[in-house]
Amino acid sequence: MTVPDSDQQADADGGAEPPVPAAGLPWFVKLLVVLAAVAVAFVVAVDLLHFVELF
Amino acid sequence: MAFVDEFPFEAKLTRHSFGVAFLALAIGGLFGLIQALHRTGAFRGFVSSADYYTVLTGHGVLLVLVFTTFFIAGLFNWGVVRSLDRPLHSKRLGRAWFYTLLLGTVLASTAILGGFFDSVPLSADVLFTFYPPLQAHPFFYIGAALIVVGSWLAGANYFLTYRAWRAENPGERIPLQTFMVLTTMLLWYLSTLGVAAEVVLFLIPWSLGIVGGVDPLLSRTLFWFFGHPVVYFWLLPAYLIWYTVLPKLSGGRLFSDPLARVVFLLFLLLSTPTGFHHQYLDPGIPEGFKAIAMTNTMFLLLPSLLTAFTVVASIEHGARQSGGDGLFGWLRALPWDDPAFAGISLAGLMFAAGGFSGMINAGMSINYLVHNTLWVPGHFHLTVGTAFALTAMAATFWLFPQISGKRLRLRGAAVAQPYVWFLGMVLMSNAMHRAGLAGVPRRTAEPQYDAFAFDAGVGGIGEMRAQIALGGILLFLGLVLFLAVVFRTWMAPRDEELRVTGTIPPALSGPENSPPVLDNLRLWTLVAVALVVLTYSLPLVSMVADGLLTPGLPPIPV
């Protein structure tokens, strides 16, 4: 497989998005990310407990 | 130059298509909230339990037929025109598919919503899987047929546009987005033959009283001939976004164009001869053919796993280009504050979970454990309800500025939206899966669990219900955020400069690294048809052997 021109070249071709002024997550989105991580940990833990119970 | 300036008619058509899709999403989403609160007992004041099934039908039809079809038609419109860099072959055909779809939607929706009013002689409480013995008003079936015909007309325009491009570009490889659109539409043409036959030959005459009855098994079989591949009709447009837009949003490029083509061809070949896996509990279908359907379904895991590998490799490449390093440290270099990137990525992540529960559904023996339980809606809220819907919403954040010339408004709400949806779906879907394992049925307005003890390893019915209700509320909030962003953006004046470009950088490994036979769509269509004939011909013959309208002969043993 040959790797063609660099990504910088692709950017020069117009592939890259112009920069968006507001960089980084706002605080309320950071809170949502934490809540989502807690929710994922919770449901995985519950599912594992169910799974362990099967055996 | 923005897409809207280069192709104003096509941009307008896509915009209007999205507009109808999002209106259906709004109404269908509201119905979803009502359902979540009603069946969990959190609040039953919106509708009676009898009307719950009207709400359920509206939720299903408006979301998985209307929202999806309008959004996909608009998206494909953009994809074909952008990647071929030429206008649609026919503006008249463009208008024809849009208004055919719209007429079908109005007829079907009128029949469903008429069910709320005793004074209106219309009703269509037949759920999304509208096969007998439940019967709807003829408006519903005619509307459903028009939705399918409208999608066919849209596909004809894509093919005619491609043919015009091909005449000027002999020997060129089909641009990737157009290749994806054409293979998806071939899959769609093949699979919708089943539902078209069911509706036109049986359900419309039956609802009009022209025939006295229909063969339920034959109708169900024709429905599921379409009913599983329709899942890939929803999924493949999401794949189009994942393969062609997501790598760019991550700052990189698609890892392999040939692999993407192989994936779409595998879906074309294997999507339709799988429908029997929805009918494991139906008598009258030989077990051997059910096993073939299971095998084909399991084979479909291959293109999904190829997709997971290719897309993750592509965004990792983008993250490393942006300075990310380490085994997992590159994840931090991804643009998680870009609502389009975050939404599409989270949709892909949830699809992985949906794929695992889908394997349970597809397993002939273990399917009996979850059949017709709440597990099944738990599964498809991860697939069509997130892999497709969240991808569609997130892609809109990127695409809408290009088809309207307007910068995205309410950016804070847009950034929060995918995370709200993800959080809601984690809670709701997982609890639905668990409830299904506990035997809680789907499609039930008031499931009762007070009369017997439920001995769960952890938690209980009340806790699952609470998670489903909370998840449903969060999902509705996510929907409101999305609609507010789109509405505010749509109503805003045009901007001089946009913050997005429609240019998609070439893949790291381009189409020149794959054999040209991959682009031979006639060949692959013939193979797909042959697989369908092998899978369906004998069972269908046995069903119609003693007449089209009566139950068939005993199944042929295999």
Side-chain angles (χ1 to χ4, degrees), chain A residues 4-7 15 17 24 47, chain B residues 248 253 317 337 398 430 500 508:
Chain A
D5 55 344
S6 67
D7 282 9
E17 301 288 340
D47 290 350
Chain B
K248 168 208 171 78
R253 307 161 179 230
H317 170 74
D337 57 336
W398 179 75
N430 189 67
V500 294
L508 283 170

Side-chain angles (χ1 to χ4, degrees), chain A residues 37-54:
Chain A
V38 170
V40 169
F42 169 72
V43 300
V44 168
V46 169
D47 290 350
L48 283 175
L49 284 171
H50 274 299
F51 187 70
V52 169
E53 190 207 14
L54 286 176

Side-chain angles (χ1 to χ4, degrees), chain B residues 168-186:
Chain B
E168 295 173 8
N169 299 274
E172 289 279 315
R173 298 300 296 265
I174 306 173
L176 184 58
Q177 281 188 328
T178 298
F179 180 88
M180 292 170 160
V181 169
L182 298 184
T183 46
T184 306
M185 289 312 299
L186 287 170

Side-chain angles (χ1 to χ4, degrees), chain B residues 167-521:
Chain B
E168 295 173 8
N169 299 274
E172 289 279 315
R173 298 300 296 265
I174 306 173
L176 184 58
Q177 281 188 328
T178 298
F179 180 88
M180 292 170 160
V181 169
L182 298 184
T183 46
T184 306
M185 289 312 299
L186 287 170
L187 179 166
W188 181 244
Y189 282 124
L190 181 60
S191 63
T192 45
L193 291 176
V195 74
E198 183 203 10
V199 170
V200 174
L201 298 179
F202 302 116
L203 299 186
I204 292 176
W206 180 51
S207 65
L208 289 170
I210 297 170
V211 298
V214 293
D215 177 354
L217 179 60
L218 179 59
S219 299
R220 286 170 63 88
T221 302
L222 290 173
F223 180 87
W224 288 119
F225 182 95
F226 142 90
H228 193 70
V230 73
V231 170
Y232 303 110
F233 178 66
W234 304 326
L235 189 61
L236 292 182
Y239 275 26
L240 181 148
I241 300 285
W242 297 358
Y243 274 107
T244 63
V245 178
L246 187 60
K248 168 208 171 78
L249 295 178
S250 71
R253 307 161 179 230
L254 174 61
F255 186 71
S256 169
D257 171 301
L259 213 51
R261 288 175 200 257
V262 169
V263 163
F264 273 70
L265 287 178
L266 284 171
F267 277 110
L268 169 60
L269 298 184
L270 294 170
S271 290
T272 307
T274 56
F276 285 140
H277 85 234
H278 287 260
Q279 296 179 274
Y280 286 148
L281 292 183
D282 283 21
I285 299 169
E287 294 298 304
F289 283 96
K290 292 178 181 175
I292 291 171
M294 175 181 69
T295 309
N296 289 341
T297 311
M298 294 299 181
F299 270 129
L300 280 170
L301 290 170
L302 174 64
S304 289
L305 291 171
L306 286 174
T307 299
F309 166 75
T310 311
V311 172
V312 173
S314 303
I315 63 173
E316 181 184 347
H317 170 74
R320 293 192 187 281
Q321 293 289 319
S322 308
D325 57 9
L327 191 57
F328 297 109
W330 57 270
L331 287 165
R332 297 178 65 86
L334 290 168
W336 295 106
D337 57 336
D338 175 351
F341 174 83
I344 298 169
S345 300
L346 292 175
L349 185 63
M350 296 218 94
F351 181 63
F356 287 122
S357 66
M359 281 192 282
I360 306 297
N361 298 342
M364 253 179 99
S365 52
I366 203 165
N367 174 280
Y368 297 156
L369 184 67
V370 298
H371 202 88
N372 272 341
T373 70
L374 206 50
W375 168 287
V376 178
H379 160 75
F380 65 65
H381 278 83
L382 289 177
T383 52
V384 65
T386 300
F388 173 80
L390 185 54
T391 297
M393 289 187 279
T396 301
F397 292 146
W398 179 75
L399 194 52
F400 200 80
Q402 298 174 51
I403 58 171
S404 66
K406 299 169 183 178
R407 186 170 47 79
L408 197 69
R409 301 305 204 279
L410 300 179
R411 188 177 168 80
V415 174
Q417 193 272 343
Y419 297 98
V420 174
W421 190 275
F422 180 83
L423 177 59
M425 194 57 83
V426 165
L427 296 175
M428 188 180 89
S429 172
N430 189 67
M432 283 172 136
H433 279 92
R434 287 173 54 215
L437 288 174
V440 176
R442 63 187 292 201
R443 295 172 159 172
T444 308
E446 298 185 30
Q448 300 296 319
Y449 285 88
D450 303 330
F452 63 93
F454 172 69
D455 187 19
V458 58
I461 292 293
E463 163 259 327
M464 293 176 201
R465 282 177 166 172
Q467 283 195 60
I468 292 169
L470 178 59
I473 292 168
L474 286 168
L475 286 165
F476 187 71
L477 176 63
L479 176 58
V480 170
L481 289 173
F482 169 74
L483 293 171
V485 171
V486 171
F487 184 76
R488 181 72 181 79
T489 304
W490 204 326
M491 293 298 119
R494 273 207 64 166
D495 293 289
E496 290 296 318
E497 287 188 16
L498 298 178
R499 290 176 183 154
V500 294
T501 71
T503 308
I504 292 172
L508 283 170
S509 173
E512 67 279 2
N513 293 316
S514 65
V517 71
L518 289 183
D519 286 8
N520 188 341
L521 298 180

Side-chain angles (χ1 to χ4, degrees), chain A residues 9-47:
Chain A
Q9 182 59 47
D11 292 349
D13 293 341
E17 301 288 340
V20 176
L25 292 172
W27 68 267
F28 54 91
V29 181
K30 284 180 181 166
L31 178 63
L32 277 170
V33 172
V34 171
L35 286 173
V38 170
V40 169
F42 169 72
V43 300
V44 168
V46 169
D47 290 350

